[in-house]
Amino acid sequence: MTTKPKVDAVIVGMGWTGAILAKELTDAGLTVVALERGGDRDTQPDFAYPKVVDELEGSVHRRFLQSLAQETVTVRHGLGDTAVPYRQMGSFKPGTGVGGAGSHWSGCHFRPLPEDMRLRSNVEQRYGKGFIPADMTIQDFPVSYDELEPHLDMFEKVCGTSGKAGVIQGVVQEGGNPFEGSRSSEYPLPPNPNYLGAELFYKAAREMGWHPYPIPASNTSRSYVNPYNCQMGPCNACGFCSDYGCLNYSKASPNACILPALRPSPKFELRPHSQVLRVDLDSTRGKATGVTYLDAQGREVHQPADMVLLCAFSLYNVHLMLVSGIGTPYDPESNTGTVGRNYSYQNLNRVVLFFDKDVQANPFIGIGGAGTTMDDLNGNQLDNGKLGFVGGGLVWARQPGAGPVRGINVPSGTPNWGHDWKKAVADNFRHSFYYEVQGACMSYRQHYLSLDPTYKDAFGRPLLRMTFDWHPNEIKASQFFVEQALTMSKVLNPLSMSGDAKKDGEHYNITKYQSTHTCGGAIMGDNPKTSALNRYLQSWDVPNVFVIGANAFPQNNGYNPTGLVGGLAYWAATAIREKYLKSPGPLVDA
């Protein structure tokens, strides 16, 4: 084994959180090495036109996603089931390479509602402790919306987020979300233009008495220079956001928004094609000494460091903790241990609308995160006591782009191939659009992450095992939200429409894409018996290890997680700079 010179901090993964922490720590004067399992990528040449706008390469061959042949997860529905490997991209899409999932995301950039940050307390206060099912393990975040607000604001400014504020310094603003937490400032850029489906959403939502507003989108509506002096160009609505890198410096990504300012730093070194195998611990098992990884030539290398920051995709942060022996693995039978606890996901459904030929929806035009939504069915706007489930959600109009390889919507009853299918495609492609229905996903005692007893990855480590299924709470929520979307859509008088609400007893289907919003497994909290990380995303058990990502969510709310992930990354970076570096050690008493 080769041993490299010691550095102040080693970062595992170079997506959003890795890039944020690397920039913040090098600015503080620390020497930082970033290890990325995939290759190095940049807008030029990797996302250059025309090669990046290739549906076959991006949506079938999965150019920007991890290799499941080397590293994957196994999945089962219940404790008595045998898990099987996730062999083809389906339910979620972990990225690889510099930029990670931050290079192939759509751009939807929400903040949490204040009540999302204190979910359990809020539900108990509104409906009583008995309203929460006995096996539901939801928790409050150990940090409030007000504490996070400056860091959420910073991430929006770095991303050049386009939107319209609803509440600034306590004052409600016309055209924004009146239910959101108070902001310190307006979005960096105004909203993107709407497509037809979003304009019709405004009409239908207002007729329902709802309060539609533009989806906050990290797809720039104007030219923009961010706080790191990175230049971004206006989105040209090419329709290649989801699954693709941005050719136009318009979709926020680590590649466009942070790395141009980070790469020149003499304090920073990026090592691509570096597969981290484990975090190395000293003989006490209470301090990390660095990490061991395989380099581009397959040689085993030890990188000593004073701090280790796990910034990989959420599932693989948990995996690294488990294979490294950081913390106590969670046991659902005894309800003890913390690492693997509170895995959750996202409750996603869709309503598809078809119109006659005088309605020109043109779905090949697309801006990944842009569109229209509303919060009238989210947070404290929803009477969960009357409806009988925990958690809120959104209905939204979004058009990230469509094409023949990614799939074309056709009315129900259409054959899957042949003359009638072709006719249905020709008749409907330009005259249909969809509304997505996205709900929260609670955490449960029996839903968790662990090491698989049977399957190993290409490096000889046990695969991460996911135990997860749809709970009656989420099925009931799915049915309610889809019914609300269908009722709203009737206002538009479509020729036909259909919804895909979950059926009673339906199981989680790993083969069907739903979202890449995997959350939990190494959650933050104020109690080391029920959380793996403290309020600063620092390991309770190994204080010089910080674990940054959606793995820290005790449960998932109705929004996309990226905005909160970025805010937590800046929150943790500030704590490291202002607290930890002055006195290395636990930042919160256990």
Side-chain angles (χ1 to χ4, degrees):
M1 180 189 292
T2 301
T3 299
K4 295 282 190 178
K6 189 177 183 182
V7 295
D8 294 320
V10 61
I11 294 176
V12 181
M14 207 53 192
W16 272 124
T17 59
I20 289 169
L21 269 294
K23 177 61 177 159
E24 293 296 300
L25 296 187
T26 53
D27 284 354
L30 275 64
T31 54
V32 175
V33 166
L35 303 173
E36 166 55 49
R37 68 181 175 186
D40 196 357
R41 290 197 180 114
D42 209 346
T43 306
Q44 183 62 246
D46 299 280
F47 307 149
Y49 185 82
K51 69 177 182 179
V52 76
V53 292
D54 183 334
E55 285 187 87
L56 185 65
E57 188 73 5
S59 295
V60 177
H61 295 162
R62 306 299 191 187
R63 176 183 173 192
F64 301 115
L65 307 186
Q66 75 170 81
S67 168
L68 298 181
Q70 285 196 315
E71 189 176 12
T72 187
V73 299
T74 64
V75 183
R76 62 178 182 170
H77 290 140
L79 301 182
D81 299 333
T82 300
V84 295
Y86 182 48
R87 297 186 186 276
Q88 293 182 320
M89 286 295 172
S91 182
F92 47 85
K93 303 173 184 176
T96 197
V98 170
S103 65
H104 72 74
W105 72 315
S106 294
C108 300
H109 190 145
F110 291 92
R111 294 183 178 192
L113 294 168
E115 55 263 39
D116 289 334
M117 303 303 292
R118 49 185 304 273
L119 178 66
R120 189 173 194 99
S121 295
N122 187 56
V123 172
E124 289 180 350
Q125 288 168 9
R126 296 183 79 197
Y127 312 114
K129 293 184 178 181
F131 185 70
I132 300 174
D135 63 342
M136 187 182 284
T137 55
I138 58 175
Q139 298 184 23
D140 292 353
F141 281 79
V143 55
S144 70
Y145 172 87
D146 288 339
E147 288 176 299
L148 275 184
E149 199 283 331
H151 309 286
L152 298 166
D153 183 73
M154 175 62 175
F155 189 43
E156 289 166 356
K157 286 179 167 59
V158 168
C159 291
T161 307
S162 303
K164 179 69 187 78
V167 184
I168 300 178
Q169 297 181 6
V171 179
V172 175
Q173 309 291 308
E174 183 69 27
N177 177 15
F179 308 115
E180 70 178 354
S182 184
R183 297 172 173 273
S184 54
S185 63
E186 181 59 88
Y187 282 101
L189 293 172
N192 282 281
N194 274 328
Y195 74 104
L196 179 63
E199 288 292 339
L200 294 178
F201 185 98
Y202 270 105
K203 168 182 167 62
R206 284 173 176 151
E207 290 201 26
M208 295 285 289
W210 295 340
H211 301 77
Y213 66 92
I215 296 174
S218 284
N219 314 86
T220 49
S221 60
R222 305 282 191 277
S223 296
Y224 180 71
V225 179
N226 78 2
Y228 298 140
N229 205 34
C230 296
Q231 174 76 47
M232 301 180 74
C235 177
N236 65 2
C238 74
F240 285 86
C241 283
S242 304
D243 291 343
Y244 306 89
C246 181
L247 62 92
N248 207 44
Y249 297 87
S250 302
K251 182 178 71 176
S253 68
N255 316 72
C257 300
I258 301 178
L259 282 159
L262 178 60
R263 289 181 189 271
S265 171
K267 298 284 188 180
F268 175 70
E269 182 184 355
L270 171 64
R271 297 179 195 159
H273 300 294
S274 297
Q275 176 72 47
V276 176
L277 301 177
R278 64 182 178 272
V279 179
D280 298 310
L281 306 179
D282 69 5
S283 59
T284 71
R285 313 295 292 173
K287 181 180 179 181
T289 59
V291 300
T292 295
Y293 70 96
L294 296 178
D295 68 11
Q297 287 74 43
R299 299 171 298 199
E300 198 165 282
V301 180
H302 175 59
Q303 176 58 65
D306 290 327
M307 270 193 300
V308 175
L309 294 96
L310 302 185
C311 296
F313 188 72
S314 60
L315 294 172
Y316 299 106
N317 279 344
V318 179
H319 188 229
L320 273 172
M321 293 182 75
L322 288 169
V323 297
S324 304
I326 298 173
T328 304
Y330 173 67
D331 177 8
E333 300 287 354
S334 63
N335 200 27
T336 59
T338 58
V339 182
R341 179 186 178 95
N342 278 43
Y343 174 74
S344 64
Y345 190 41
Q346 193 92 67
N347 194 359
L348 194 70
N349 296 99
R350 178 179 289 193
V351 171
V352 184
L353 291 80
F354 298 92
F355 295 86
D356 59 31
K357 294 186 179 181
D358 63 348
V359 175
Q360 299 292 337
N362 295 332
F364 52 86
I365 298 170
I367 301 174
T372 310
T373 188
M374 53 84 201
D375 267 293
D376 296 82
L377 306 177
N378 202 15
N380 285 346
Q381 290 67 253
L382 200 63
D383 186 347
N384 294 100
K386 179 180 178 180
L387 295 169
F389 61 83
V390 178
L394 307 171
V395 181
W396 67 15
R398 193 172 64 91
Q399 186 164 298
V405 175
R406 285 173 282 182
I408 296 173
N409 291 316
V410 291
S412 58
T414 302
N416 292 328
W417 61 282
H419 175 272
D420 290 342
W421 175 82
K422 292 178 182 178
K423 184 177 186 303
V425 168
D427 288 345
N428 291 283
F429 177 59
R430 295 178 60 193
H431 317 295
S432 69
F433 52 79
Y434 61 85
Y435 293 151
E436 285 180 316
V437 180
Q438 180 170 281
C441 185
M442 300 300 103
S443 51
Y444 298 89
R445 178 170 174 168
Q446 64 270 32
H447 295 171
Y448 73 112
L449 303 173
S450 58
L451 294 179
D452 192 280
T454 303
Y455 294 97
K456 298 184 183 299
D457 63 20
F459 315 105
R461 304 173 302 175
L463 291 182
L464 186 70
R465 181 176 63 181
M466 175 192 297
T467 304
F468 178 77
D469 203 359
W470 294 122
H471 192 277
N473 184 87
E474 279 61 48
I475 291 175
K476 192 170 189 178
S478 165
Q479 293 169 352
F480 169 77
F481 292 129
V482 170
E483 182 58 37
Q484 293 295 301
L486 289 169
T487 299
M488 180 195 76
S489 299
K490 290 176 184 176
V491 170
L492 304 176
N493 296 314
L495 290 177
S496 65
M497 60 180 177
S498 61
D500 63 349
K502 294 176 176 63
K503 298 178 178 61
D504 291 343
E506 181 175 331
H507 291 295
Y508 170 53
N509 181 359
I510 194 72
T511 68
K512 177 184 177 183
Y513 182 71
Q514 287 146 83
S515 81
T516 305
H517 307 164
T518 60
C519 299
I523 68 171
M524 59 193 304
D526 56 13
N527 186 343
K529 292 183 179 179
T530 57
S531 59
L533 313 174
N534 65 25
R535 72 192 309 259
Y536 300 111
L537 289 90
Q538 178 186 39
S539 168
W540 289 107
D541 301 279
V542 185
N544 65 335
V545 172
F546 291 78
V547 188
I548 322 293
N551 54 267
F553 293 16
Q555 59 280 323
N556 199 11
N557 59 44
Y559 296 125
N560 304 55
T562 308
L564 180 52
V565 167
L568 287 172
Y570 279 107
W571 163 260
T574 300
I576 293 170
R577 292 176 62 160
E578 297 181 0
K579 300 176 184 289
Y580 182 84
L581 295 180
K582 293 176 182 177
S583 181
L587 297 178
V588 179
D589 292 334

